[in-house]
Amino acid sequence: MSTSVDVTLSVNGERVARRVEARRHLVDFLRLDLGLTGTHTGCEHGVCGACTVRVDGVIVRGCLVLAASLDGATVETIEGLTESGEIADLQTAFVERNAAQCGFCTPAMLLTAADLLSAAARDGAVPSREAIREHIAGNYCRCTGYHAIVDAIETVATARAGKGRS
Amino acid sequence: MNDIVDPRSLDRPNSYIGRSVPRPNIRKLVEGAARYVDDVILPRMLHAAFVRSPHPHARIVRIDVSAALSIPGVVKAFTGADLAPHCEPWVAVLAHLKGMKSAPQRPLPLDVATWAGEAIVAVVAETRALAEDAAARVVVDYEPLPAVTDMETALDPATPVIHADLGDNLVFERTNESGDVEAAFRTAHKVVSATFHTGRHTGVTLEPRSILADFNRATGQLVVHHSTQAPHMIRDVLARHLRLPEADVRVICGDVGGSYGIKVHVYPDEMAVAVIAKLMGRPVKFIADRLESFSSDIHARDHRIEGRLAVDAAGRILAFDIDDLTGIGPYSVYPRTSAVEGNQVVNLIGGPYDFAHYRARTTVVLQNKTPTCQYRAVGHPIATAVTEGLVDLAAEALGMDPLDFRLKNLMADGSYPRTSPAGMKFEGLSHVESLEALRKMIDYPALRADQVAARARGIHRGIGFASFIELTNPSPFMYGIGGARISAQDGCTVRIDPDGTVLAATGVTEQGQGTEAIIAQIVAEAVGVPMSSVRVVTGDTLATPYGGGTWACRGAGIGGEAALRAGRATKEAALVVAGSMLQAAPDTLDIVMGNIVDRAGGAVRMPLSELGRIVYFRGDTLPAELPRELMQTRHFITTQFPFAFTNGIQASWLEVDIDTGMVNLLKHWCVEDCGRVINPMLVDEQVRGGVVQGIGGALYEHCVYSPDGHLLMGSMADYLTPMAAEMPDIEVGHVETPTRESALGAKGAGEAGTAGAPAAIMNAINDALRPLGARVFAQPFTPARILAALGRIPTETA
């Protein structure tokens, strides 16, 4: 039915080697093979964004990437970003602003927001609310109505820009 | 000690009621450390997948599972006949909805499939992927039957009857009438009318429906991990229908990835999983995929409403006359039933206004489509759209400003308690104060000036208003009196532990609203400890008092009051012990920030942890007869009013592109009165989330069916949900009219946003289109429908 493939890759800084079914997508690989349940499946057809993770520094939809294609890749998930402290300020802003309700979209929303914030830092600019809304427009959140999420990202963007100048 | 909660106490230590504090349980969400049902893995766990009917209506002729079972790793397959002997069928009716009828439903149907997407065969395998492989190999021979799809003709003699035993496709009908409607319309100065449609749509919880059922044959216990809003109700249903003692069923509800009413119902596929787990004696997990969600989660709001409104020459509303028709799919959904939405429509129309003559009829019919049932704000968005649409038409007919017309007709703020022409009892509302607060927030004259200036540039902007009422804190009048085993009461247990920390176990549940936060706030204030000392337990029928869970905006009002009373009782009990230890009268002592203090002067006498140490480890040093009850449980149920109504008003400011038909949302406002606000930040976020959910139904979301009953959407690419780029910023304001039924004074806040948003959007679009002579009344207001209304494309293409 389906063939298996050997892959060795880095996940959150740890080297992992596994034999995976060719059809296994990255989210199932993370959740079922590695027990990293912070990444969620919402639609499994690339629309809702709940499975967003970082592969080789770029955010991707984990449900549209096959684990078998990731030999040699570097994968980062919410667990890894939490551990490294890279998005600690963003996570705190989400907590303080109540930018998460049920939390199912939250890890992916944070990865998408972090992506915008690093691009903004490179450009030395604070993104407008419209630009924030545009950037997270591929991450579905049913609970918040997005306003609080935009507030939290805007707060961090402004704070980081302030730090950069001082 | 049992005073009404006074928010002026905010300047005191450990005063949390009324304060915007972050949710203690949110950190796990932002770190990816939450635990949803799919994150739970048990030894020997199997995975279920379902073969679903491709036909809207078909006889099941033959089922062959042999090819499926030949796949290694596939363990078993079950048909309706396999499961039927092990599960009592259910019939979803309520006795107080007179004449209501529905057919018996089973985990899997025996002979006939009645909607496209209905589960027909279950396959269990070692992995979900294998179970799906196997499901694809199950052969089901169907004999297609004519499908009932158009609710307008569902009762025609020529239309097939879906369940022969019922005699026809009528589920329920009711006319709610008072005054003399005919006379009011005969003598009216003006009569306005319109036909409204609300589009069938669904909840799209990001976490799909999820269940993991585990039956232990040795103990006879069924443990079910379930993404649900009502653990005790699900436990009751599982016990009765699987013929188990209620005490042998435990429902555990961990983190829930969105619910909005979708997860408060009994789903046949989830019942099948529980039955299979019991039959196999091992854990079985089922997580719906997105297509299964679209075709088997409940849908809602498939209504056509004809409405008329009569006004006199002075601009006073005389009468509403309403005819509502709704199609609910082939079965009423258990145990809340699918007649409640229509029933709410005929109870809520005209709700904010002072008038005398009322007639509203609802007709609830069967169809071969996905079953519909209660979804966030049940009936309110429909009733509000009809009411506020007619109100705007009346204002226009009279040449009056829509806000002025509302002011003239809203129930006066000092006029409560009173009963509406629809029979709704209002304890105290603030329509006028809310409207005035909104008028200030939006800077109405500036918006109107901007509208005129934009119009001159060929840009069509509109502002729309929607006053609304919302039913919260339901008593047994909602379900219990109809025979449904749904608790309107809820409870809370508060326990002081030896180190002075406090546990609070509540029957209400958390789905992201902030239930655990507000319970912690209330208990911390009631006991007198810092909020950081309180831990809240929810969602486990083994660990929490019996209660209804979280739905119909009852968490804060009912669960919160139980928590307040349990917290106060625990404090009183602690002070009895403290009084004995300190040789002081208990009423001269208090607990503040975790310390026993003198009530007068506030001098610290000892930490609560010292009291805990003595009670639990050195009880020998206390007088033998001294009660040392540091754990107290209290329950609360409302008794004076069937519901605690809230009220508010929303405004939408938007732009319609008359070349593309696209609606661009510029800003949205809501002023809400949910009584005592426990955590303003959380209430604001409930309102904002609710508004956007309402906007979804108004502009984008639609479960589209072909004329022969096939669901034409099945992915999030063709069922559009609100995304961040299209949504506006939303400003929220508050008026506080606490309910006097409780010391806390809180009413519900979770559905107000959804109740009013579609009406505000519709009125804003029609305000923008008014000079062009176009109007829309059929949700969702898609570009095609707007272009058709403008005469730019033929109506049939919309």
Side-chain angles (χ1 to χ4, degrees):
Chain A
M1 183 177 313
S2 125
T3 47
S4 293
V5 179
D6 289 319
V7 289
T8 300
L9 62 158
S10 158
V11 178
N12 296 330
E14 285 177 28
R15 202 178 84 119
V16 296
R18 292 286 190 283
R19 168 160 289 197
V20 295
E21 272 193 84
R23 65 179 177 177
R24 194 161 206 73
H25 60 50
L26 176 54
V27 196
D28 276 356
F29 176 70
L30 292 169
R31 293 179 53 83
L32 302 175
D33 294 337
L34 304 184
L36 292 168
T37 54
T39 304
H40 302 139
T41 47
C43 73
E44 291 187 279
H45 49 255
V47 180
C48 77
C51 60
T52 304
V53 294
R54 223 186 250 169
V55 175
D56 295 331
V58 177
I59 53 169
V60 301
R61 310 256 146 158
C63 72
L64 299 183
V65 176
L66 294 175
S69 71
L70 293 177
D71 192 44
T74 298
V75 175
E76 293 162 282
T77 70
I78 187 66
E79 289 91 345
L81 297 195
T82 300
E83 184 78 26
S84 73
E86 181 192 326
I87 58 167
D89 55 349
L90 191 58
Q91 287 168 315
T92 297
F94 268 56
V95 168
E96 285 173 355
R97 184 58 191 85
N98 202 54
Q101 288 186 28
C102 82
F104 206 76
C105 74
T106 308
M109 191 69 83
L110 286 162
L111 263 88
T112 305
D115 184 63
L116 173 69
L117 291 172
S118 15
R122 279 195 301 275
D123 303 345
V126 175
S128 66
R129 289 181 76 80
E130 291 68 33
I132 294 169
R133 285 184 176 277
E134 196 62 47
H135 195 82
I136 62 169
N139 288 72
Y140 170 59
C141 168
R142 185 55 130 178
C143 296
T144 64
Y146 304 105
H147 185 126
I149 295 174
V150 176
D151 285 351
I153 298 171
E154 191 180 32
T155 300
V156 175
T158 308
R160 285 193 188 177
K163 253 182 227 147
R165 273 195 298 275
S166 60
Chain B
M1 187 173 268
N2 291 322
D3 310 334
I4 300 286
V5 167
D6 181 358
R8 284 170 303 179
S9 65
L10 260 186
D11 53 349
R12 289 208 326 260
N14 59 248
S15 296
Y16 298 103
I17 297 172
R19 203 186 282 277
S20 288
V21 291
R23 293 159 55 202
N25 57 344
I26 192 176
R27 177 60 66 176
K28 67 182 171 187
L29 305 180
V30 303
E31 295 192 359
R35 198 165 189 240
Y36 304 94
V37 171
D38 199 20
D39 302 334
V40 180
I41 290 169
L42 298 178
R44 298 188 74 234
M45 184 173 83
L46 296 173
H47 297 261
F50 291 92
V51 180
R52 292 178 183 273
S53 173
H55 300 286
H57 198 192
R59 189 166 306 285
I60 302 164
V61 179
R62 186 182 69 101
I63 296 174
D64 181 356
V65 299
S66 52
L69 294 177
S70 70
I71 299 173
V74 175
V75 181
K76 232 167 160 59
F78 298 87
T79 65
D82 295 331
L83 300 186
H86 309 286
C87 183
E88 292 293 328
W90 55 89
V91 180
V93 294
L94 289 167
H96 65 300
L97 301 181
K98 295 206 168 39
M100 183 183 181
K101 58 186 197 279
S102 183
Q105 193 175 14
R106 300 174 186 278
L108 302 171
L110 291 175
D111 314 305
V112 181
T114 51
W115 83 88
E118 183 176 16
I120 307 297
V121 181
V123 184
V124 285
E126 288 168 7
T127 69
R128 169 66 187 230
L130 280 173
E132 287 184 26
D133 291 342
R137 291 220 196 161
V138 171
V139 178
V140 184
D141 289 341
Y142 296 96
E143 176 195 327
L145 300 169
V148 180
T149 57
D150 185 357
M151 60 187 180
E152 300 282 353
T153 58
L155 301 179
D156 289 358
T159 301
V161 173
I162 294 177
H163 302 289
D165 290 350
L166 299 182
D168 58 26
N169 292 326
L170 180 67
V171 174
F172 176 64
E173 60 184 340
R174 176 185 166 213
T175 302
N176 186 359
E177 188 165 9
S178 66
D180 188 343
V181 172
E182 291 302 331
F185 275 90
R186 256 197 323 274
T187 60
H189 170 62
K190 298 264 187 199
V191 171
V192 294
S193 65
T195 300
F196 300 85
H197 288 91
T198 49
R200 182 183 257 263
H201 55 283
T202 184
V204 199
T205 61
L206 189 52
E207 178 208 31
R209 290 189 293 108
S210 307
I211 187 169
L212 166 55
D214 183 14
F215 185 70
N216 184 323
R217 283 180 180 147
T219 62
Q221 286 180 324
L222 178 70
V223 178
V224 175
H225 299 262
H226 197 202
S227 183
T228 179
Q229 299 170 232
H232 283 101
M233 183 203 84
I234 293 294
R235 172 172 175 255
D236 169 86
V237 167
L238 289 169
R240 280 186 299 117
H241 291 273
L242 272 61
R243 303 180 196 114
L244 291 164
E246 197 161 347
D248 281 341
V249 181
R250 177 183 183 189
V251 176
I252 301 171
C253 172
D255 290 308
V256 173
S259 51
Y260 331 106
I262 299 298
K263 294 175 180 170
V264 76
H265 309 296
V266 171
Y267 287 92
D269 50 14
E270 295 176 16
M271 289 296 280
V273 168
V275 176
I276 291 168
K278 184 168 172 240
L279 288 174
M280 298 187 73
R282 57 193 286 193
V284 181
K285 181 188 272 186
F286 168 65
I287 313 291
D289 69 22
R290 192 49 60 187
L291 175 58
E292 288 180 300
S293 301
F294 278 123
S295 63
S296 66
D297 287 7
I298 59 110
H299 294 176
R301 300 182 188 143
D302 195 359
H303 288 244
R304 181 273 294 146
I305 314 97
E306 318 241 3
R308 292 197 298 159
L309 183 157
V311 284
D312 68 14
R316 306 274 318 181
I317 297 174
L318 298 172
F320 280 88
D321 186 15
I322 303 297
D323 182 30
D324 171 58
L325 173 66
T326 178
I328 60 150
Y331 294 97
S332 168
V333 174
Y334 195 57
R336 281 173 159 68
T337 86
S338 308
V340 166
E341 190 182 69
N343 198 50
Q344 300 264 78
V345 169
V346 297
N347 281 339
L348 297 170
I349 282 180
Y353 298 102
D354 187 354
F355 63 96
H357 310 286
Y358 185 71
R359 181 170 60 203
R361 181 173 76 141
T362 186
T363 306
V364 181
V365 300
L366 297 174
Q367 326 152 287
N368 293 113
K369 296 182 181 176
T370 299
T372 73
C373 203
Q374 278 74 301
Y375 166 51
R376 194 175 195 171
V378 194
H380 292 73
I382 304 161
T384 307
V386 171
T387 304
E388 295 300 283
L390 291 171
V391 158
D392 262 25
L393 286 175
E396 183 183 343
L398 292 161
M400 285 180 72
D401 176 88
L403 277 186
D404 293 343
F405 181 77
R406 282 176 174 79
L407 265 186
K408 201 180 190 82
N409 286 286
L410 287 168
M411 287 184 181
D413 287 357
S415 65
Y416 304 94
R418 63 187 290 172
T419 301
S420 77
M424 297 295 103
K425 293 184 170 62
F426 300 139
E427 182 197 3
L429 300 174
S430 61
H431 286 296
V432 174
E433 191 183 345
S434 298
L435 184 146
E436 293 300 358
L438 181 90
R439 192 199 288 272
K440 260 187 226 133
M441 260 167 90
I442 65 175
D443 193 354
Y444 192 37
L447 285 183
R448 286 293 181 204
D450 181 294
Q451 182 179 37
V452 171
R455 196 85 78 189
R457 305 194 304 273
I459 293 167
H460 299 276
R461 291 184 180 155
I463 181 151
F465 301 101
S467 286
F468 61 89
I469 53 170
E470 190 214 330
L471 173 166
T472 77
N473 294 0
S475 73
F477 276 79
M478 192 154 188
Y479 296 114
I481 58 164
R485 296 165 70 89
I486 294 171
S487 177
Q489 174 183 286
D490 232 295
C492 184
T493 296
V494 172
R495 181 176 92 195
I496 298 174
D497 276 340
D499 67 350
T501 54
V502 173
L503 274 184
T506 173
V508 292
T509 51
E510 169 81 90
Q511 299 105 41
Q513 306 92 327
T515 305
E516 294 188 17
I518 62 146
I519 296 293
Q521 287 177 261
I522 293 165
V523 169
E525 177 160 340
V527 177
V529 297
M531 206 176 141
S532 57
S533 295
V534 180
R535 297 292 176 274
V536 179
V537 180
T538 63
D540 183 345
T541 57
L542 205 60
T544 61
Y546 199 100
T550 300
W551 46 273
C553 288
R554 65 187 299 280
I558 309 292
E561 178 70 8
L564 181 71
R565 293 180 181 195
R568 285 174 167 179
T570 306
K571 176 190 217 166
E572 220 170 309
L575 290 180
V576 167
V577 179
S580 171
M581 289 171 68
L582 299 169
Q583 297 298 298
D587 61 4
T588 65
L589 301 170
D590 198 359
I591 307 177
V592 174
M593 291 303 272
N595 290 308
I596 312 290
V597 302
D598 285 330
R599 185 172 288 275
V604 173
R605 301 293 301 275
M606 68 175 168
L608 206 47
S609 56
E610 177 60 9
L611 184 136
R613 183 183 74 83
I614 295 297
V615 166
Y616 292 114
F617 310 124
R618 290 305 309 273
D620 58 304
T621 64
L622 298 171
E625 70 287 359
L626 182 79
R628 59 282 303 267
E629 301 293 340
L630 298 188
M631 174 158 142
Q632 295 288 325
T633 299
R634 292 293 181 274
H635 292 86
F636 179 65
I637 187 167
T638 54
T639 52
Q640 295 162 41
F641 288 87
F643 312 103
F645 276 94
T646 71
N647 69 277
I649 181 167
Q650 296 189 25
S652 163
W653 173 236
L654 53 74
E655 200 170 289
V656 181
D657 184 327
I658 62 166
D659 293 319
T660 64
M662 295 287 285
V663 173
N664 180 18
L665 303 172
L666 301 172
K667 190 84 195 248
H668 202 100
W669 299 266
C670 178
V671 173
E672 213 235 348
D673 182 349
C674 62
R676 177 75 64 238
V677 173
I678 300 164
N679 184 323
M681 174 170 70
L682 297 186
V683 169
D684 285 1
E685 294 319 313
Q686 280 302 296
V687 171
R688 290 195 173 101
V691 162
V692 166
Q693 216 153 356
I695 290 172
L699 292 180
Y700 312 118
E701 300 182 40
H702 200 186
C703 298
V704 181
Y705 280 85
S706 69
D708 61 356
H710 288 276
L711 190 59
L712 296 181
M713 33 60 64
S715 79
M716 293 186 67
D718 44 27
Y719 181 95
L720 302 182
T721 54
M723 303 301 274
E726 292 79 33
M727 288 304 106
D729 279 347
I730 299 162
E731 246 181 77
V732 185
H734 298 283
V735 172
E736 284 192 51
T737 310
T739 171
R740 285 185 289 272
E741 275 222 53
S742 66
L744 185 62
K747 308 175 191 173
E751 299 172 279
T754 311
I761 298 282
M762 175 179 72
N763 285 346
I765 293 171
N766 288 336
D767 187 52
L769 299 182
R770 189 165 291 116
L772 305 166
R775 280 172 184 154
V776 286
F777 297 111
Q779 298 176 38
F781 306 112
T782 58
R785 283 175 169 171
I786 288 171
L787 290 177
L790 286 163
R792 295 191 159 214
I793 60 171
T795 308
E796 58 271 19
T797 57

